[in-house]
Amino acid sequence: MKNSQYRVVGIMSGTSLDGVDLVYVTLNVNEKGWSFELEKGQTISYSAAWRTKLKTAIGLNKEALDRLDEEYTLLLADIITAFIQENALETVDFVCSHGHTILHRPDLGYTLQIGNLPLLADLIQHKVICDFRVQDVLLGGQGAPLVPIGDRLLFGDYTACLNLGGFANVSYENALHYRIAFDLCPVNVLLNEQANKLGLLYDPEGSRAQAGTVCQPLLEALNALEYYAKTPPKSLGVEFVASNIQPLLELHVLSPEDYLATFVEHMAIQIANGIQLPKQAKILVTGGGAFNTYLMSRLSFYASSYEFVVADDLLVNYKEALIFALLGTLKVRDEVNALASVTGAQYDHSSGVIYDIFDPVW
């Protein structure tokens, strides 16, 4: 018999490299559906050394990647154990971890999230559900985005859910009641890099971007990138930035403020163009970019017919970690947690790997 309540730790590390997000959540399910209580949320920032390791890992060979995978698993184990102990979490049914994406090329049939080794369960002494993307790619899908099943089950009161993290992605039900979701454009993965040049981890409220000047030739080149003309399902990774955006930046040498201003304009245009919804659609906004008031103002300018609702701070920061807790719970229940209509996989499926202590189960 399946349980009606689960107390779960969810973990997410995004491409913006802010750190490791952890939540402790109670998930309830009954005949009316799913509900949640987000009880604890914490972000453990990466050290400068770890940010550099993760940012440059895309260029590593297999042997070096394997070493990094082990090192990162040890790091996650320490972070998770400290979170459980410091918050005196007496009941943890299991831990659900996304890991950190290093490689994502579904078009070539592979994706890699480090920190998903069986060792993790033994180190933290809890059942672990992880490695959610690989199976979807093997089934011909993009392996992303995976969050939309959570948008459907937990946030169905909204027309759509927009996440402004390392990349922007949107999720909504189409006219045939299929969940549609896809990546729209890079966000914090670009903004934070320029903020770093100014000695900042990020651009508070977009003030530096607002002080800059938009470079029209660069803006036009960014908007002309082939990805934006593709139809979903589609997804983005750091490879896209390296191969498509970085060459454009080398052709347009600007101050960090002007890069930021141009990027924000580009993001607002692409997000507005990518969201095709009825007027007065109510859109829940989460992710670190939701705090960028300048980005939100430019987005509202280009998409003035929509109502953008920025979630409360806890949900803004931890929605993805919350939903990965749900994804792991669905896996434990052997229920669908990856939607073919979203990823392009051959069929809906229950993705992820379950590691019991000393007893891995696929």
Side-chain angles (χ1 to χ4, degrees):
M1 182 176 177
K2 295 178 180 178
N3 295 344
S4 60
Q5 183 177 87
Y6 302 86
R7 310 198 78 177
V8 185
V9 173
I11 303 105
M12 176 68 192
S13 173
T15 48
S16 57
L17 297 178
D18 294 335
V20 179
D21 293 336
L22 304 101
V23 297
Y24 181 57
V25 58
T26 298
L27 292 163
N28 297 291
V29 61
N30 56 34
E31 65 278 0
K32 294 182 180 180
W34 287 88
S35 62
F36 70 91
E37 182 180 353
L38 192 51
E39 299 184 36
K40 303 283 185 180
Q42 185 177 3
T43 298
I44 304 301
S45 299
Y46 288 120
S47 66
W50 265 108
R51 282 197 299 272
T52 299
K53 282 184 181 183
L54 296 174
K55 188 175 181 179
T56 59
I58 190 173
L60 298 178
N61 59 32
K62 185 180 184 307
E63 183 180 355
L65 274 177
D66 288 344
R67 286 199 302 271
L68 182 64
D69 198 356
E70 293 179 5
E71 292 174 10
Y72 189 75
T73 300
L74 294 173
L75 175 69
L76 273 188
D78 288 343
I79 289 172
I80 295 167
T81 299
F83 178 74
I84 292 172
Q85 292 177 347
E86 290 170 8
N87 289 286
L89 305 182
E90 296 181 0
T91 302
V92 176
D93 293 321
F94 40 81
V95 171
C96 308
S97 179
H98 170 270
H100 185 86
T101 298
I102 298 297
L103 303 171
H104 185 65
R105 289 297 304 271
D107 55 316
L108 300 179
Y110 66 83
T111 184
L112 172 65
Q113 288 71 46
I114 60 173
N116 290 329
L117 298 177
L119 175 64
L120 184 61
D122 296 336
L123 291 172
I124 68 173
Q125 287 294 290
H126 286 283
K127 177 187 290 189
V128 171
I129 301 90
C130 61
D131 219 4
F132 294 98
R133 300 191 185 275
V134 172
Q135 179 175 294
D136 192 81
V137 171
L138 292 175
L139 289 172
Q142 292 284 307
L146 295 181
V147 166
I149 184 71
D151 292 342
R152 169 186 281 177
L153 297 177
L154 299 180
F155 302 103
D157 292 341
Y158 294 89
T159 312
C161 292
L162 173 66
N163 185 67
L164 303 176
F167 296 87
N169 52 68
V170 67
S171 162
Y172 57 90
E173 304 285 327
N174 68 6
L176 299 175
H177 303 290
Y178 287 107
R179 196 78 191 182
I180 301 298
F182 52 95
D183 288 340
L184 293 158
C185 62
V187 180
N188 292 332
V189 70
L190 292 179
L191 298 180
N192 290 355
E193 183 175 15
Q194 297 305 318
N196 294 166
K197 295 178 182 179
L198 296 169
L200 305 168
L201 289 177
Y202 58 93
D203 182 14
E205 300 183 346
S207 59
R208 300 303 179 94
Q210 190 169 7
T213 301
V214 173
C215 173
Q216 287 298 328
L218 176 57
L219 178 62
E220 291 171 7
L222 290 169
N223 287 335
L225 289 171
E226 182 181 356
Y227 177 83
Y228 301 122
K230 293 181 178 180
T231 56
K234 59 182 182 177
S235 61
L236 291 167
V238 291
E239 297 88 347
F240 174 81
V241 175
S243 60
N244 291 272
I245 293 182
Q246 193 59 43
L248 296 179
L249 304 190
E250 293 171 0
L251 296 175
H252 301 83
V253 180
L254 309 174
S255 69
E257 290 86 353
D258 290 352
Y259 275 130
L260 287 167
T262 306
F263 289 155
V264 165
E265 205 71 7
H266 167 64
M267 292 160 191
I269 290 170
Q270 292 306 325
I271 293 169
N273 288 345
I275 300 174
Q276 299 295 321
L277 295 169
K279 290 183 178 179
Q280 279 71 57
K282 188 177 180 181
I283 302 173
L284 178 68
V285 185
T286 57
F291 295 124
N292 189 319
T293 51
Y294 181 59
L295 172 58
M296 292 304 303
S297 71
R298 298 309 296 158
L299 179 55
S300 294
F301 173 81
Y302 285 107
S304 58
S305 66
Y306 302 147
E307 179 187 358
F308 292 99
V309 180
V310 176
D312 64 72
D313 287 2
L314 196 60
L315 191 57
V316 164
N317 285 323
Y318 300 111
K319 175 171 172 274
E320 288 199 313
L322 160 67
I323 291 184
F324 274 95
L326 175 65
L327 293 183
T329 303
L330 292 170
K331 175 65 179 179
V332 167
R333 292 169 60 88
D334 195 28
E335 296 177 1
V336 167
N337 65 5
L339 299 172
S341 63
V342 170
T343 69
Q346 296 171 25
Y347 47 80
D348 293 348
H349 56 103
S350 188
S351 193
V353 178
I354 300 174
Y355 293 127
D356 282 310
I357 304 170
F358 303 120
D359 183 23
V361 179
W362 292 83

